[in-house]
Amino acid sequence: MANYIISASDAESMAKSKNLTVPQLLPSLVQSAQSLARPPISNFHVGAVGLSSDGRIFFGGNIEFPGLPLHHSIHAEQFLITNLAAHGGGPKLLYVAVSAAPCGHCRQFLQELRGVCDTQIVITDQPQENPVYKPISSILPDPFGPFDLLDQNTPLILEKHDNKLSFKDDNFLTGKFSNLSNLSNGYSELVMKNEVMLKNKGLEAARESHAPYSGCPSGVALMDCEGKVYKGSYMESAAYNPSMMPVQAALVAYMAAGGGGYERIVAAVLVEKEGVVVRQEETARLMLNHVSPKCELRVAHCV
Amino acid sequence: MNLPPKTYIIEAEEAASMAKSKNLTLPQLLPSLIESAQNLANPPISNFAVGVVGLTSDGRIFFGGNIEFPGLPLHHTIHGEQFFITNLAAHAAGAKLLYLAVSAAPCGHCRQFFQELLGISDTQIVITDQPQENPDYKPFSSILPHPFGPFDLLDENTPLILEKHNNQLTLKDGDFIIQDKKTCDLPNGFSDLNAKNEELLKTEASAAARGSHPPPKDGNFINQDENTRDLSNGFCELIAKNGEFLKSEALAAARGSHAPYSGCPSGVALMDCDGRVYKGSYMESAAYNPSMMPVQAALVAYMVAGGGRYERIVAAVVVEKEGVVVRQEDTARLVLKHLSPKCEFRVVYCN
């Protein structure tokens, strides 16, 4: 199975066996990260490997979705950050190795990590024998970042988020899913059995969502044909457009857990506030309909 | 700086005399125009107005401001710099961007999108909110060292934004895809009228962009005729009259679209309640996500020509290839339905 996370002790012993420090080990893992990429539009595989302050190594590869507009693409660096966030990595990203120069969109998204200007980055396709680490600040000088808009105390990605959210109506737990027999994908029993967990995971994801700019946290929970549930949180960027959509975040969790084809995803719940200034529902539905046509998206509003 | 309220373009002669009257060079003039640019912004979500002003090699000055769309996900946002580039692409083909002034440090998404302009590494940029007496110009390359750019993926001869794009596209069928038999799609007996009005429409749009033409009054809808056929938005006749022009403008926009990464050019044309048509081309970024969607590009054209409320937009056509790897249709429909619920939306496929 593909590696998306290496435990701290495994990382240590791997490095030791090669007579390297863990940071020195990262470049040798980039190719492995590239093999996680699914870029059928560009065929340009990008791999990102990061060392978390808790000693674990996380991986990311770029994912493209044929048939959808390009803003649905997941960059390797965003995959990496989402992977970190989903598995309690951090609170700091200390070192990152990438197979190609990160684009500006990613250099911007990285600003959502506190202290990222000190994170050390190495780009492995540089025409050098031994590419050298340099601080991220050197590849995005004079950045536009969270604290151009927020108070310094606002939690950033990898810091604890606990948005005080609950479902809008108590009856929700049975409400929207009451027409399960209408589910055309043949998984109605499975969904019925797991629906409470699915909704609760969606709410959990919304509670963990990083949305300080809009005040509109949201989360998605996906269920596969074996009843396993994966969650992903919406994560905003100070620059708005690079924000990570919650369906994409949940797909990262799916892939990092060994996922498989998207058509294995049979049910989904989006949890977000109703009628607010930033709404994911229609875009989430469009996206899911496209990657897994038999998967129906249900929306649960929270307050 | 006494510019008319919604100025998006200053012609070379006027720019030169403006600078002269202040005893400044053109580059020195730009920072003084930033506030005017910020006034073009419409950011109801952040309330953070960004203004962008730039000088091209032919002596013209272009403006941009950021636009936010409450109710939609944030990736629909138009940054000041992207507004600016779209404005530039629509009016300055063949020119180079020499100097750029922005009210705040461009975000990484914009620094990336700028890579689609040929020679951007040499463009001089100044950020006017920097805490300095006289902020200095510096090369664009200094704010995105070691960039990921077009030529990491493309052949060096591929045209970039501002260079001529002429995608060889033709409409797949002669007619609109008729979605509802009730909608009227009369055979066009008005091609003469369209041809006659085309120049006028273009001139008026340009004049509006220069601030010399007052924007259409809000709510200035054409009186509905009881004999008008039953389209839900009441603009059936207007759409029938201008339908062919709308389609051909969308096709023209698709032909001018910068989509070398996906090979999926597309264009959008919008018509307002006065029958004016505005077009916008899809413009890709090497980094994919920062790509400028065609509806947004057409909305920029709408705003530059004087704009007004989005509800004034009564018809839209998207032209794109069918069943290809990057498709705008569903997203374009979503955006337009949100901004102008009564807008008639059509997709016309091209080859």
Side-chain angles (χ1 to χ4, degrees):
Chain A
M1 191 179 102
N3 266 335
Y4 285 90
I5 305 176
I6 298 176
S7 71
S9 54
D10 280 352
E12 281 289 329
S13 55
M14 226 186 245
K16 197 168 179 183
S17 71
K18 292 175 183 284
N19 222 3
L20 296 170
T21 64
V22 178
Q24 288 170 335
L25 181 68
L26 299 190
S28 64
L29 301 173
V30 170
Q31 219 173 67
S32 207
Q34 278 177 289
S35 66
L36 305 174
R38 298 190 200 180
I41 303 176
S42 68
N43 291 310
F44 188 84
H45 291 244
V46 181
V49 190
L51 175 61
S52 161
S53 49
D54 63 9
R56 286 183 290 172
I57 295 176
F58 290 80
F59 290 71
N62 58 324
I63 313 290
E64 294 166 0
F65 299 100
L68 287 171
L70 293 179
H71 56 260
H72 284 283
S73 309
I74 304 172
H75 286 229
E77 299 86 334
Q78 284 185 300
F79 192 120
L80 169 68
I81 291 168
T82 306
N83 190 9
L84 268 160
H87 295 100
K92 287 234 153 51
L93 174 63
L94 300 179
Y95 293 87
V96 60
V98 281
S99 59
C103 73
H105 159 96
C106 287
R107 298 183 199 194
Q108 183 61 52
F109 193 68
L110 279 160
Q111 303 304 306
E112 296 307 306
L113 299 177
R114 194 180 299 268
V116 80
C117 45
D118 297 328
T119 299
Q120 299 292 311
I121 183 166
V122 65
I123 302 163
T124 61
D125 70 351
Q126 302 255 258
Q128 282 166 260
E129 261 285 313
N130 286 313
V132 163
Y133 278 103
K134 53 189 176 181
I136 285 210
S137 54
S138 67
I139 64 164
L140 197 70
D142 190 31
F144 177 78
F147 304 123
D148 284 292
L149 300 173
L150 306 171
D151 182 86
Q152 288 269 348
N153 294 320
T154 320
L156 300 189
I157 294 178
L158 300 188
E159 297 178 323
K160 189 166 166 58
H161 285 69
D162 189 15
N163 308 307
K164 304 292 186 219
L165 303 170
S166 52
F167 285 123
K168 203 175 177 189
D169 34 79
D170 288 330
N171 288 333
F172 181 74
L173 287 179
T174 47
K176 288 243 166 70
F177 276 31
S178 60
N179 287 330
L180 276 177
S181 52
N182 291 340
L183 262 190
S184 57
N185 65 9
Y187 286 95
S188 41
E189 268 193 40
L190 192 63
V191 174
M192 253 193 303
K193 198 169 105 176
N194 288 319
E195 72 167 293
V196 172
M197 175 170 52
L198 196 59
K199 285 184 222 178
N200 284 335
K201 283 280 171 193
L203 182 65
E204 236 175 73
R207 284 179 173 154
E208 292 158 356
S209 164
H210 172 68
Y213 307 103
S214 66
C216 303
S218 66
V220 160
L222 305 172
M223 190 186 83
D224 72 13
C225 53
E226 290 172 18
K228 287 200 180 93
V229 174
Y230 312 87
K231 67 180 191 218
S233 302
Y234 172 54
M235 292 183 289
E236 282 180 345
S237 158
Y240 281 25
N241 298 52
S243 299
M244 182 71 169
M245 289 180 267
V247 174
Q248 272 80 340
L251 288 173
V252 167
Y254 175 69
M255 287 182 271
Y262 304 130
E263 63 296 324
R264 292 183 70 255
I265 296 165
V266 300
V269 170
L270 165 73
V271 174
E272 65 175 353
K273 295 179 184 176
E274 191 171 16
V276 287
V277 78
V278 169
R279 302 197 286 269
Q280 308 296 332
E281 179 175 346
E282 288 172 304
T283 300
R285 182 169 286 115
L286 194 158
M287 212 256 166
L288 273 166
N289 272 348
H290 187 81
V291 306
S292 185
K294 294 197 162 171
C295 171
E296 224 178 308
L297 175 73
R298 311 292 175 120
V299 180
H301 291 128
C302 61
V303 288
Chain B
M1 179 64 39
N2 291 326
L3 286 176
K6 294 275 190 183
T7 299
Y8 291 91
I9 304 175
I10 302 176
E11 292 300 327
E13 215 178 286
E14 201 186 329
S17 62
M18 230 184 238
K20 193 170 180 182
S21 72
K22 294 183 171 293
N23 222 3
L24 295 171
T25 63
L26 281 169
Q28 288 169 336
L29 181 68
L30 298 189
S32 65
L33 301 173
I34 279 288
E35 222 175 85
S36 269
Q38 281 176 291
N39 288 335
L40 305 174
N42 182 11
I45 303 176
S46 68
N47 291 310
F48 189 85
V50 177
V52 179
V53 192
L55 175 69
T56 53
S57 50
D58 55 0
R60 287 186 290 171
I61 295 176
F62 290 83
F63 290 71
N66 58 326
I67 311 290
E68 293 166 3
F69 300 103
L72 289 172
L74 292 179
H75 56 261
H76 286 288
T77 309
I78 305 172
H79 285 230
E81 297 87 335
Q82 283 185 301
F83 189 120
F84 169 82
I85 291 170
T86 306
N87 189 13
L88 204 62
H91 298 100
K96 277 226 158 70
L97 177 62
L98 300 180
Y99 292 88
L100 189 64
V102 282
S103 59
C107 74
H109 159 96
C110 287
R111 299 183 198 194
Q112 183 61 54
F113 194 66
F114 267 112
Q115 302 306 304
E116 300 305 308
L117 291 181
L118 192 65
I120 185 67
S121 47
D122 297 327
T123 300
Q124 300 291 313
I125 181 169
V126 65
I127 302 163
T128 62
D129 70 352
Q130 304 252 264
Q132 286 166 255
E133 262 284 314
N134 286 312
D136 272 337
Y137 279 102
K138 52 190 175 179
F140 200 93
S141 54
S142 68
I143 67 165
L144 198 72
H146 190 43
F148 177 79
F151 303 124
D152 284 291
L153 299 173
L154 304 172
D155 183 86
E156 293 264 343
N157 294 321
T158 320
L160 300 190
I161 293 177
L162 294 190
E163 297 185 285
K164 191 167 167 54
H165 285 68
N166 193 8
N167 309 305
Q168 303 300 313
L169 303 170
T170 47
L171 293 181
K172 224 174 163 179
D173 6 79
D175 296 322
F176 275 119
I177 291 171
I178 294 171
Q179 293 174 353
D180 179 344
K181 286 285 175 202
K182 279 198 227 136
T183 59
C184 51
D185 196 12
L186 298 169
N188 194 317
F190 293 96
S191 43
D192 278 350
L193 186 65
N194 284 341
K196 198 170 92 181
N197 283 334
E198 187 176 329
E199 272 313 306
L200 182 62
L201 282 172
K202 282 187 194 159
T203 319
E204 287 199 12
S206 305
R210 290 178 188 90
S212 59
H213 183 104
K217 283 197 209 113
D218 241 21
N220 190 14
F221 286 81
I222 291 173
N223 289 334
Q224 290 183 29
D225 184 329
E226 276 180 63
N227 292 330
T228 306
R229 261 191 244 172
D230 191 21
L231 243 202
S232 59
N233 71 4
F235 288 95
C236 182
E237 272 197 31
L238 194 63
I239 293 170
K241 198 166 103 172
N242 288 318
E244 283 305 309
F245 184 48
L246 197 57
K247 259 194 288 180
S248 67
E249 283 290 88
L251 178 64
R255 285 179 173 155
S257 165
H258 172 69
Y261 308 103
S262 66
C264 305
S266 68
V268 162
L270 305 172
M271 189 184 82
D272 71 13
C273 53
D274 290 336
R276 286 201 181 95
V277 174
Y278 313 89
K279 65 179 192 278
S281 303
Y282 172 53
M283 292 183 289
E284 281 180 345
S285 158
Y288 281 24
N289 298 51
S291 299
M292 182 71 169
M293 290 178 268
V295 172
Q296 272 80 341
L299 288 172
V300 167
Y302 176 65
M303 289 180 268
V304 165
R309 293 180 305 121
Y310 301 128
E311 296 82 358
R312 292 185 68 256
I313 296 166
V314 298
V317 170
V318 174
V319 167
E320 64 176 353
K321 294 179 183 176
E322 189 171 15
V324 287
V325 79
V326 170
R327 303 200 282 268
Q328 308 296 332
E329 178 180 345
D330 292 332
T331 301
R333 184 181 285 113
L334 193 160
V335 174
L336 279 164
K337 190 149 189 271
H338 181 80
L339 297 177
S340 184
K342 294 194 164 175
C343 175
E344 267 293 302
F345 178 86
R346 316 282 178 102
V347 178
V348 182
Y349 297 124
C350 61
N351 292 312

